[in-house]
Every structure is written in structure tokens, then in C-alpha cells.
Amino acid sequence: MNTLFKHSLACIALLSSTLLAETYKYDFTSEKSPVQEGFVCITEKDSDAVKWAPDSNVKACYTPYSYEVKNGIPPQRYPIPLSAGNVQGMFKASFTLPQVAPGKYHVWALCGFGGGQAATVWDVSLKAGDATDSITFQGPHEIMEMLLETEVREGGLAVEIASRGHWVLNALVIVPQEQWFTARDGWFKELWEEIFILPKEVRKLWKYDPRPCTTPEPRWNDKQKVDGLAVYTRNWASTIWPDHFPLQSELDAPVRAFASLGESEILNFALYALQEFEQVSISVGDLQGDTPNEFIPASEIDVRYVRYMYVRPNYNVLGVYYRAPDVLMPCRKPLRLPKGENLRFWLTVRTPLYAKPGLYKGEATVLATTHAGKTTTVKVPLTFRVLPIRLLEDESLTFGQYYYPPNNRLTQTDDAFSRAWIENRTRREHEHLRASRHTCYNLTLNLIQKNNRFTPDFDRFQQLIDTANRYGIKGPLPTGFGVTTIYMHYMKSPTGSHIVNIQIPPQEFFDEITRVVSEIQQEAKRRQWPELLYYPIDEPSTGSIAVEFMRRTMEAIKKVPGARTYVTADVSNTSFAPLAPFVDVWCGQPYCLPRETVLKNMAERPGLEYWAYPNHISGENDHTPCIGARMTYGFGFWNSGYRALIPWIYGSSNGSQWNYLDAKTSDFDNRVDMDGTPIPVTLWAAYLEGMDDGRYLNTLEKLIARAKDNGFTAEAQRAQADIEFIRASIKVQPKYKFDDLWDADTFDAYRWLLASRIIELQKLF
Amino acid sequence: MKTILPYLLCLFSLPLLAQFNSYNLPKATGKITIDGELDEPDWKQKPLITEFRPFNVINSEIPQTNVWMLQEEEALVIAVECMEEFPNALVTKARHDGSVWNDDHIEFFFDTAGERKSCVQILVNAKGVVADGIISTPGKAPDWKWECGAEVQTAVQADRWILEMRIPFASFPSSPLAPDWPFHVARSRYTMNAMHMTALKGPLKGFHEMQFFDTLCGIKCEPTGIVVLDQSFGPLFEGQNQASLTLKNENDTERQLNITVEVPSKDGSPATWQQAFTIKGGTTMTATLNWQCSLANEGQPISMRLEMNGKRLQSFSNILKGILPTIGNLRHNALSFGNSTPAIAEFPINLHIDNRELTMLWELWTDDGKALVTSGRTAVASNQMKLRIFQSFLKPDIYRLRRFLLEDGKTIVAREDRIALTTSPWD
């Protein structure tokens, strides 16, 4: 009885403390702007709710907004009252929230939609009590969050903001620790989705169209049931949708891969949650070889997880969305894993160049902790075979990207930190391109009008060439050179999108094109630039006037000795036939000409090349065709006879780079981390794997040639038979995407066939 | 102050900003002959649509386009007059279901369910070549396997090209058809500069944006009380297939119905299968019909007709694509084996195997077909087969795998594939 009484008192005390504890919601905004319902307004001025430190130089801002679609163009961002207003400043500020009672809290901070220039970089380090966190991001439309756990003492919550440049703060929500989970999964979730997905008024106009799961629920074993977690393996190129079941055969299947010396290779596995986990973390140890001295250090294993994004079915479609796997996020903080959802880990092993060939073993350790604090530890064995092969490149092929270096916008920034950050981002992206064996991107050489004539801005262009040279962008470089500017000068009217409004200009226009190209060619030779491909107009239309304009423009370029032309047009469309004598590089959708035609045409006219921009697998209209991307970049490319792949685009971002539903067109391909480092997506990984397939093919082809030259005819014939066997297995099609493709595992089966034959032929020498 | 009403108003003003038109679909007053000549009295009436606007060009003059639409008892009839200054330069290169959008063409979008969630798209070029498909979800590409069954005729004259077309109501996918259809008519011209034109007034970004479609009103298809809930030709197996049709009879009394499936046979004449059945009043039922197909039918059309008292209620047309061979394709044809692990050939059996005693006999031959290396036999217990090829003296090489599907000891189908065998990377 006495014990019961004590327990009751304890319960009452706990209950009353819970009931008494208050959640504090602050909306930082300007004085006369709307305030989020239920939030206390904080401006740059002191009030009962806030006391700013005297040296805080703070500006309160609010940008009116509308969700209206104007002329078919939706807004770049979808603010709500909480995110539309902010306080901002430079370098530092601090304040106290005196009303926050002592206790332990979760502090959620919202920072973004700061406005200003596209090149402005926002950098916010927040110290709330003793807890700190920081975020950095670029542009006026980005918005991010921080979550800190802190303890507040008497006198309220002291907050310090530090920044290397501009900082911005929209909101603070301070929730008593014991109420956090309830709030997070309740009212706060609704608010969060309004900010980071779409406002509910807009969202209800969108149709959620998730991919249906057709896989039956597997039979879970006792361990999986006890752990509340199932580990499974699926080929990295096969999609794992967020809430689909694994196949029975995938559960506890081995996680293994093979790689050549110096090659990066993917190991991956996924978790399916049978219960809710608050925190899931992963650590990966060394991969141990046969002897203690032989190992691949854990530092050579890049550990990421696949982030699900809300995506549109096509980059320019509005109103339909679903969740799709896309971004390969670094594993920095523990992740939440809701019941019935998947979490895919993506490990990339960078095989050391001088690793000893053989079998290596290791394990990944996953720690999964529930809300109640129960932690499950799962060890996932990893097997990795290093092959005694050094892959060769086909140096005649080109891999490029449509790419616009971020430092093009350096002049638009007003602070040193933004400029330094963007310079760093430019460096990181170029390093990424180089590491991905890309040697080409598009450039623009602007024209300056001086003394009634057009002069190329060579010094500005030299900066672009310098950057390209520094990172192995050796070309050839498709280069625009102001043809529409010259057209405007002569015709006094715009060409229209894809020159749909074009009229044939006088001969003087074409003479000017020849003169400008001649000047560029001479200067390029003087300055020892890589080869420029003259790229007058992007994707000209098929109308007869447009084609005639293009024909005469290309003809004008070709009058300059050594100048080669580049056109983005469908070579198989007979409307473009008049261009053929003047086009050196046809770049269009893959692979619209048959291999035989490609090889025959190129053999008949030296200098003629066929390139492709495989936008169908670049994320433009689907984030998941990894198998199609691998085929397009590997076996399909090899079999096509085409000479280059240059998709649009390295990274496309409109509005927030983490919100694919805002703005007119969706975001896709590489993202940007807080320090400017690129964050790849699964499709990018598929490009690289396809390129590696090509390297296995090329290595074997070169070995076959060597074997033949050295009299090993029978061995060469056997190896050639393997290659022809693979070629015969390709279901040739212009666009490899989803249909009629090999099974994801088949690529590795063929790669292993090639590797086995490479190893066999290597033994001859 | 903190109200969100202004923002809500902004949001809901979105569709109000656009101008939407409704058109009543008149009935045909006389017989229309689809011959590319607009000489019937109905075509002498005022066109239903005459105002198009440029879609992708600015301040551009566009040629006149006139569109007439009529309803007959069982069909939608359309005539279009596309004025053209350069008829000799008309671009007409596409084949059926090909890239007609790159030709001089007129295109129609009809949402026959009236829900702005899906629609059919029908493009016709100046030569009368049709591309027809179903857009089942906004933003997704059309499924070009759908066939509208239209009767089409075009004619090119000195200053225009003309389209005359009849589309049976029964061909449209919705059942029943809505009385009012969101729709869109667009035209593209390639004789000079590429020019796209739309009859819509809304803020269009692409021709498929159903939220901006106009409405075609008053489609008066006589209700039959028979509603199609689901239709399938089956999984397209080589050999026997089972088509199905799930129907609801909303009438009080039973109805006698007939299903016919038609596929071209080897000599080009149609092979047909029929099934008569009765559906009670107020009930739902699924009718099935067995039909045959061969791999040679790949790419050919297939159709299913639902008829009552000799009158066609609905038809479904499709292109046979992806016919599954009875002995399915190997998942991989490069297989590896180890010292103690067999090479495993995985493939599906595309056949209804229920209550059948089937056996798979397999043989591994050298690539030149001269020597049998090893063989095996296994019962077919499911539609997914795994053949375990194990031989202690097996060498990495290319082989021929022959598979025979036996029933009662007799081969019902056989298949040969080349496979490559390698040693396993994991031994």
C-alpha cells in the first residue's frame, strides 16, 4: 500500500512535470509580415521573447509570395509564413530567449529562403546552450534545418550565431525532450512537410502515385523477428523502392563484388525494418586478405546511403509525385528507419593499385536503436575479390557532360566567403569529373562588339580553358560563340527558342561568322587551346528555313581551314540531310543510327563522329533507370560505334536542390554538399560502372590483338568468341532504359567472363 | 495578420486565370463517307473549332485550322482542314505508332472518363498515318499499344490538307463513356519553321496537361447497363492464353453477351475465338476465353469485341508485344560453376502448368554441336526453373544448351541457346 502510494506520487509528479513543460515556437520575421499560426514573432528588436546582444547587427526580412502559376511557370519556392520571413546578418549575432524555462530540450532551427543573389552562400553555425550544429548552402531558394539537444538553465536559452559570411534564421522550435517524439510525429510533422515537401494547399492539388509493391511479404525467420530488422542484398542497379518488401531469395544473400586493381566497385545491402528504429548507424572495417599484412583499409571504402526523394515522373511535369531512390548521401549522422521501410547502404571500395590479388573479407556493423533504447547489432559479412588486372582505357572515346562551372557566377557575390566557397565547389566538381574520367564539357566564347565588329572575348575564355586544362578537360570542347548575337545585329529580331523564328539573314551575316571563326581558330592555335568544336545553335528545329539557316552557318564555319562543326540534331531525321556535308560531329539522342552505318560513315569521311546525349538515363525524366544507364555507358556504347557520351546535365537544380517538386523543372543528377563537394546520385554510379564495363571490353580487345601479333592465334580466337558471344546477346536498341534489358546481375556475369579471359590471356606474356 | 486566406485565394485563382471552352458535340444529320472530301452537308456547317494559337513561337502568324466534330450513334466523326501555304513541303515520314509528332499532323486528346486523370492521344499526319496511345497517368508517356480502330482518310489540296476520320465509341477505353470529355486539339506544322498550335487558351507547357483541356459536351452513347470493370488478354504466352473480361450488369434482367478475340493468322487472315455467356441482372462476373498465339504474332494487332444482340458494346485493340516463349529466356547466359557448385540456368516456363505432368530434359552440347557434354532431366514443379549443370570435367567455354519440355513423354516444345560457362569468382 505504501509502495503503491509512493509510485502514484512519482507518476503524478512525472505527469505534472510533463504537463507543465512548454514548447516554445518562434517565428523570426519582419514586424509587419504574417506570422506562422501558434508561433511568437521575433524581429530584430528586443521584446519579452528575445533580448539581442548589443553587437548583433540584424536585419529582419520578409518576401511576399504567391503559389500562382504564371504563364505555366510555377514559383521557384513554396514558402509558408514561417519560412517566408527571417532575420539575417553577417558574421555573428547572439540573443537570449528568456521565456524558455530550465530543462532539457530538442531545439529545431530553420534557416533559408534568404533571398539575395544566386551566388550568395549562407553559412550558419548555431550554438543553443551547449549544443552546436552548422549548415552551409548556396542561393536564395535553399532552406535547411538543424536539430540540437540541449539543456536550458535559469535565465532562458542563450543562442549564438556564427557565420563566415551571411547567416539567416527563420524559426526556432524548442520542445521539451520528453515530448519530442510525440511532437515530431504529430503537429511538427505536418509543419515540416509543408516546408520541405509542399504547402498543404498546393500538395492537395498533386497526386501521390507511389510504385505498387508486387512482392509478397517474405517469411521472416526468428532472428529477423527478434531483431526487428532484415538484411538483404540486391544488385545495386536494381531499384529498391522505399516501402517494398525484399524477395525471399535476397534475405541474407552474400554481399560481394570483384574488382580490378585501381577500380572502384560497389558493395551494397539494405535493411528492411520490421519495427521503427530511431537511430541506425553503420561502420565498416578493413577488408582482410589471406595474411594479416594484406588488407584494404576501411578508409578506402566510401560509405553512403541511398536517400529517397519526392520526385516527379518527368522533370517538367507538375502535379504528380512519388518517392524514388536517388541521392548517395554520406553517412554522417544516425538515420531514422520507419517500420516497413528500406534503408540501402552503398559502399564503394577503391581497390588499391597495388593490392595483392585474391579474396578479401570484412564486415559492416549496423547498430539500430529503437525509441525505447533497445539496440540491435547486425554484422553483415563482406566479400571482395581483387583481380590481377589493370584495366585499359579506350582513349579514342570521350565522356563529357553539359556543365556550367559555378565560378561563372563569382562576380555576382558581394562577400569573400561566398566567392571562396564557390571556388571550392568549382574545384571539387572538376575533381569529381576527373575522377570520373570525364574529359569534355561545353563552353561558351562570348563576343564583344567593338568598332562595329564582333570580337571574341579571348581573355575571359582563357580563364575557362585554364580551369578545364587544370582538371584534364582536354576536349574536344563543343563551344558556342555568339551566333545569335550576330544574328540579332543583322536581323534586329530574336531567333526564338531552337531558332523557330529564324529568317535567312543577308550574306554579310555568314561572312561575319566565317571571320569570327577564323579569328578564334588563329587565336586558339596561338594560345595552344584544346580543339574547339563550333556549336552555333543548340537543337535547331526541323523547319526548312531553320535547316537552311543551319546549312549556311555550318558552311560558313567550314570555310575556315581546320574548323570542325558540332550540331545537336537527330542525324536519322532526313530533314537535317542538307547539313550532312558540313557537320563533323553529330550529337543526338542515342543510338539512332545502326552500328554498321556509324562505322561505315566514319570510315568514309575522316573527322566525322557520332556523339550522343543520353538524357533518357540522366535523371531528367526518371531517377531510377540504373540498368539502362549502365547499358548505355558500357556494353551498349561499345556496340554502337558512337564516339562520345555527353548527357545534359552534370547537375540540375531549380529552387531548393533538396526539393524536386518546387520550380518549373525538377532537380536531377549530382547534388552539392555543404562544403561544395558533389554528392553523386545512383545514376552517376551507373555511368561509372558502364564505363568500367567498357574498360573490361577494351582491355580484352587489346590483349586479343597482342595475342594475335605474338602468334597465339587459338587463344585469341577463343577470347574473340567470348566477345562476339556477348555482342550477340545484346538486344540492340536506340535507348536502353527499362525494356528488353539484361538482368542486373547479367552485367557482372559478362564482366566476369571478360575478366576470366583477360586473366587467361595475361598468362601468355 | 497571420491568416493564410490570401495565399489560398492565390492558389485557387490558378485555374480561374485560364480560359476554358466547352463545345457541344452535334449529331450527324446525314451519312458521312470517310474519303478525305468534305462534301457532306454536315461539313458545310460552321466548324466547332477555328481558333488556334501558337504554342512555341512568339508574335507569329499561324495558318488557319478548322475542326468539325460530330457524333453518330456508334462513333465520333472528325474533319479537319489545315490551311497550308506550302503543301508540297508537307513532312510525312512516320510509320504507324511512330514519331508522327515530327510530321505535319493534327492531334487529339480525349479524356473519355471525364476525370482529367488519363486520356487517349491520337495523332494523324497529312498522309493519314496514325499514332494512338493511352496516357494512364499524367506525366507518363503514352502506351502506344492501344489502337483506336479509326477509319482515316486524308487529302492534300493546293492550299490545305484535310483529315476525315471516324473513331468507334466502342474503341475508347472508358466504360461507360462520360457524357462530357476533357479534350484538346493541337496541330504541328513543319513545312517551313517548326510551328506548334493549340486550340486551348490555358497556360499550357505541354500538350498533355489535362488540367487545361477544354470540354466536349453531350456525348450521347445509349446506356446499355453493361459496364466493363476490367479487361485483359492474359500474359501473352506462346500457345494458349486466357483472355478475361470482368463485367457488371446494372440492368434488372439478364443479358446475353458475346466475346470475340481476333488475331491475324500465319496467312494474314484473322483467327477468331468466340464465347457466348449470360450475365444475370445486378451481378458482376468475369468471363474468360481461351485463344492461341505464336511467336510469329509478335507486333501484330489483337482485338477483343464485346457484343450484345449483334451490336458492339466495346472493343479493345492492342499490339501483341513481348510474347513469352513457352521455354523462357535464360536469366543469364553466362554462368559460373565451382569445384562443388553447379552452374545454374534460370528461366521461366511460360505455360499454365496446373495439373500437368511436365518434364524438362536438357542437354549441354559443345558449341560446334558435335559432342554431347552432359544432360539431365527434372520435373517441372513451378513456373520458375533452375537447371543445375554440374560436371567434374566441365571446362570454361561456350556451349549450346538444348531444352525440351515433355508432356506424357512427348516433346511439346524445344529450344536451344548458346551459353558461356566460367569458373566461379567465389571459389
Side-chain angles (χ1 to χ4, degrees), chain A residues 102-330:
Chain A
K104 291 185 174 177
Y105 292 90
H106 275 72
V107 178
W108 174 79
L110 181 69
C111 306
F113 291 167
Q117 296 147 324
T120 299
V121 177
W122 302 87
D123 181 58
V124 192
S125 287
L126 197 74
K127 185 177 180 197
D130 295 329
T132 58
D133 201 356
S134 61
I135 46 178
T136 307
F137 53 87
Q138 184 186 344
H141 306 301
E142 193 55 88
I143 190 155
M144 295 183 79
E145 62 182 336
M146 288 180 269
L147 185 64
L148 303 88
E149 287 181 51
T150 194
E151 183 165 2
V152 177
R153 297 185 181 86
E154 289 297 335
L157 176 63
V159 179
E160 292 174 27
I161 298 169
S163 172
R164 291 168 286 183
H166 293 275
W167 62 264
V168 60
L169 178 64
N170 307 66
L172 285 178
V173 174
I174 303 158
V175 183
Q177 213 162 60
E178 66 278 8
Q179 295 175 26
W180 170 245
F181 294 112
T182 311
R184 184 196 63 190
D185 300 335
W187 67 267
F188 182 80
K189 179 170 182 274
E190 201 174 305
L191 180 75
W192 188 93
E193 289 183 350
E194 287 214 81
I195 297 165
F196 290 106
I197 303 175
L198 287 172
K200 59 186 170 198
E201 294 82 11
V202 178
R203 197 173 175 186
K204 71 184 178 191
L205 299 176
W206 287 57
K207 179 185 171 190
Y208 184 55
D209 186 25
R211 296 294 179 265
C213 178
T214 54
T215 308
E217 183 167 1
R219 296 179 306 279
W220 310 112
N221 64 27
D222 290 343
K223 182 175 184 326
Q224 287 156 347
K225 287 178 190 167
V226 170
D227 289 348
L229 201 60
V231 180
Y232 69 102
T233 307
R234 180 176 296 177
N235 187 291
W236 62 265
S238 294
T239 305
I240 294 180
W241 296 99
D243 52 359
H244 286 198
F245 289 122
L247 294 167
Q248 190 75 47
S249 58
E250 294 171 335
L251 293 169
D252 296 321
V255 182
R256 60 195 184 189
F258 60 85
S260 297
L261 298 164
E263 183 189 1
S264 290
E265 192 57 41
I266 301 161
L267 280 168
N268 90 79
F269 64 93
L271 308 176
Y272 181 86
L274 298 167
Q275 67 180 76
E276 178 103 9
F277 289 99
E278 282 299 330
Q279 295 198 328
V280 177
S281 60
I282 181 173
S283 60
V284 179
D286 297 342
L287 296 174
Q288 190 61 53
D290 290 341
T291 63
N293 288 337
E294 299 298 338
F295 63 94
I296 298 173
S299 58
E300 293 302 318
I301 305 172
D302 180 34
V303 182
R304 294 173 183 266
Y305 74 95
V306 181
R307 177 169 170 178
Y308 293 106
M309 303 297 294
Y310 286 92
V311 302
R312 317 181 197 180
N314 198 333
Y315 83 120
N316 58 4
V317 165
L318 298 171
V320 182
Y321 71 114
Y322 56 93
R323 285 170 76 203
D326 186 40
V327 189
L328 296 176
M329 297 295 291

Side-chain angles (χ1 to χ4, degrees), chain B residues 87-210:
Chain B
N88 292 334
L90 286 168
V91 178
T92 53
K93 292 170 185 158
R95 288 180 295 183
H96 177 66
D97 283 346
S99 48
V100 175
W101 50 87
N102 284 333
D103 290 351
D104 280 270
H105 75 277
I106 189 100
E107 61 188 294
F108 304 89
F109 300 82
F110 295 114
D111 168 12
T112 56
E115 296 172 338
R116 297 183 189 267
K117 290 178 181 168
S118 62
C119 67
V120 297
Q121 181 179 3
I122 302 166
L123 305 94
V124 190
N125 74 8
K127 217 187 234 177
V129 175
V130 175
D132 41 9
I134 292 181
I135 300 169
S136 53
T137 302
K140 284 189 186 162
D143 176 358
W144 296 111
K145 291 205 291 286
W146 177 71
E147 296 295 299
C148 70
E151 187 184 349
V152 176
Q153 190 64 54
T154 54
V156 179
Q157 297 179 358
D159 61 348
R160 71 195 70 185
W161 67 273
I162 288 165
L163 162 68
E164 206 174 14
M165 171 164 71
R166 175 181 282 118
I167 310 168
F169 284 131
S171 298
F172 289 112
S174 315
S175 173
L177 297 174
D180 299 331
W181 300 356
F183 85 117
H184 177 196
V185 185
R187 175 185 171 189
S188 291
R189 180 177 180 243
Y190 291 94
T191 49
M192 297 301 283
N193 280 336
M195 181 183 281
H196 307 293
M197 294 157 267
T198 172
L200 299 182
K201 305 292 185 292
L204 209 59
K205 281 196 293 93
F207 282 176
H208 304 80
E209 289 178 287
M210 294 172 219

Side-chain angles (χ1 to χ4, degrees), chain A residues 406-426:
Chain A
N407 62 359
N408 281 347
R409 287 181 162 163
L410 270 187
T411 53
Q412 297 173 10
T413 55
D414 65 355
D415 68 293
F417 173 70
S418 294
R419 287 195 293 274
W421 190 93
I422 287 173
E423 276 288 23
N424 185 55
R425 176 182 166 186
T426 307

Side-chain angles (χ1 to χ4, degrees), chain B residues 335-376:
Chain B
L335 314 173
S336 55
F337 61 94
N339 293 330
S340 55
T341 52
I344 298 176
E346 295 175 67
F347 58 93
I349 295 291
N350 298 312
L351 188 73
H352 296 290
I353 61 169
D354 297 347
N355 305 318
R356 296 174 76 169
E357 297 238 342
L358 298 167
T359 306
M360 177 62 62
L361 170 68
W362 59 269
E363 296 171 351
L364 189 71
W365 291 75
T366 54
D367 194 31
D368 59 10
K370 289 181 179 168
L372 176 65
V373 180
T374 182
S375 64

Side-chain angles (χ1 to χ4, degrees), chain A residues 33-39 62 65-69 71-74 81 201-202 204-205 207 209 211 256-258 313-314 316-318 320 359 383-385 494 497 499-503 541-546 573-575 664 718 721-722 725 729 731 743 745-746 749-750 752-753 756-757, chain B residues 1-4 7-8 10-15 17 56-60 89 91 93 102 117 136-140 189-196 203-206 209 211-212 321-322 329-336 367 386 396-399 417-427:
Chain A
S33 60
V35 176
Q36 186 75 30
E37 193 173 345
F39 278 65
Y62 172 77
Y65 59 90
S66 157
Y67 302 149
E68 187 183 337
V69 178
N71 297 321
I73 300 174
E201 294 82 11
V202 178
K204 71 184 178 191
L205 299 176
K207 179 185 171 190
D209 186 25
R211 296 294 179 265
R256 60 195 184 189
F258 60 85
N314 198 333
N316 58 4
V317 165
L318 298 171
V320 182
L359 213 54
T383 304
F384 195 75
R385 176 173 286 283
S497 171
I499 59 169
V500 292
N501 292 330
I502 203 88
Q503 295 300 322
S541 78
T542 53
S544 56
I545 298 177
N573 188 330
T574 50
S575 300
K664 181 182 176 186
R718 275 202 299 273
D722 285 350
F725 172 79
S729 303
K731 297 162 192 166
D743 179 282
D745 291 327
T746 300
Y750 287 138
W752 176 246
L753 180 64
S756 304
R757 198 61 85 178
Chain B
M1 135 178 166
K2 58 181 74 167
T3 176
I4 57 168
Y7 312 105
L8 275 172
C10 287
L11 184 74
F12 289 115
S13 66
L14 181 157
L17 292 171
N56 68 325
V57 286
I58 45 171
N59 303 324
S60 181
V91 178
K93 292 170 185 158
N102 284 333
K117 290 178 181 168
S136 53
T137 302
K140 284 189 186 162
R189 180 177 180 243
Y190 291 94
T191 49
M192 297 301 283
N193 280 336
M195 181 183 281
H196 307 293
L204 209 59
K205 281 196 293 93
E209 289 178 287
Q211 69 267 36
F212 299 121
K321 195 175 171 197
N329 297 330
L330 292 167
R331 185 173 171 221
H332 316 296
N333 62 359
L335 314 173
S336 55
D367 194 31
K386 284 186 179 180
D397 210 339
I398 293 171
Y399 295 87
D417 290 276
R418 294 177 80 216
I419 62 170
L421 295 182
T422 59
T423 52
S424 166
W426 309 116
D427 270 2

Side-chain angles (χ1 to χ4, degrees), chain B residues 158-423:
Chain B
D159 61 348
R160 71 195 70 185
W161 67 273
I162 288 165
L163 162 68
E164 206 174 14
M165 171 164 71
R166 175 181 282 118
I167 310 168
F169 284 131
S171 298
F172 289 112
S174 315
S175 173
L177 297 174
D180 299 331
W181 300 356
F183 85 117
H184 177 196
V185 185
R187 175 185 171 189
S188 291
R189 180 177 180 243
Y190 291 94
T191 49
M192 297 301 283
N193 280 336
M195 181 183 281
H196 307 293
M197 294 157 267
T198 172
L200 299 182
K201 305 292 185 292
L204 209 59
K205 281 196 293 93
F207 282 176
H208 304 80
E209 289 178 287
M210 294 172 219
Q211 69 267 36
F212 299 121
F213 283 10
D214 287 337
T215 309
L216 192 60
C217 300
I219 293 111
K220 293 192 175 68
C221 295
E222 191 183 327
T224 61
I226 301 295
V227 178
V228 178
L229 301 176
D230 194 22
Q231 183 274 341
S232 168
F233 287 108
L236 301 190
F237 287 162
E238 174 190 16
Q240 183 164 300
N241 287 275
Q242 191 170 70
S244 65
L245 202 51
T246 304
L247 303 166
K248 186 177 179 188
N249 181 0
E250 294 180 337
N251 302 293
D252 295 335
T253 54
E254 69 178 29
R255 292 287 187 272
Q256 302 289 329
L257 299 167
N258 207 60
I259 312 177
T260 306
V261 168
E262 194 170 289
V263 175
S265 64
K266 278 181 188 168
D267 62 3
S269 61
T272 58
W273 296 265
Q274 288 196 343
Q275 173 87 37
F277 61 98
T278 304
I279 180 168
K280 290 181 180 169
T283 64
T284 297
M285 69 167 287
T286 299
T288 59
L289 173 60
N290 291 335
W291 60 280
Q292 299 280 326
C293 115
S294 71
L295 296 176
N297 288 123
E298 181 76 17
Q300 293 184 325
I302 180 172
S303 64
M304 179 192 280
R305 291 194 304 274
L306 173 67
E307 292 167 318
M308 185 167 69
N309 302 328
K311 182 185 170 186
R312 185 181 299 189
L313 301 185
Q314 181 120 25
S315 61
F316 307 89
S317 297
N318 227 322
I319 299 292
L320 288 166
K321 195 175 171 197
I323 299 169
L324 300 164
T326 305
I327 299 177
N329 297 330
L330 292 167
R331 185 173 171 221
H332 316 296
N333 62 359
L335 314 173
S336 55
F337 61 94
N339 293 330
S340 55
T341 52
I344 298 176
E346 295 175 67
F347 58 93
I349 295 291
N350 298 312
L351 188 73
H352 296 290
I353 61 169
D354 297 347
N355 305 318
R356 296 174 76 169
E357 297 238 342
L358 298 167
T359 306
M360 177 62 62
L361 170 68
W362 59 269
E363 296 171 351
L364 189 71
W365 291 75
T366 54
D367 194 31
D368 59 10
K370 289 181 179 168
L372 176 65
V373 180
T374 182
S375 64
R377 177 186 289 261
T378 182
V380 178
S382 79
N383 284 97
Q384 290 299 322
M385 293 288 299
K386 284 186 179 180
L387 303 182
R388 289 172 169 76
I389 303 169
F390 184 73
Q391 245 293 352
S392 56
F393 51 84
L394 210 53
K395 287 190 300 188
D397 210 339
I398 293 171
Y399 295 87
R400 287 174 188 272
L401 178 66
R402 293 179 184 166
R403 290 171 285 167
F404 305 88
L405 187 63
L406 311 179
E407 186 166 28
D408 300 328
K410 290 181 187 165
T411 301
I412 55 173
V413 63
R415 177 168 181 169
E416 179 181 291
D417 290 276
R418 294 177 80 216
I419 62 170
L421 295 182
T422 59
T423 52

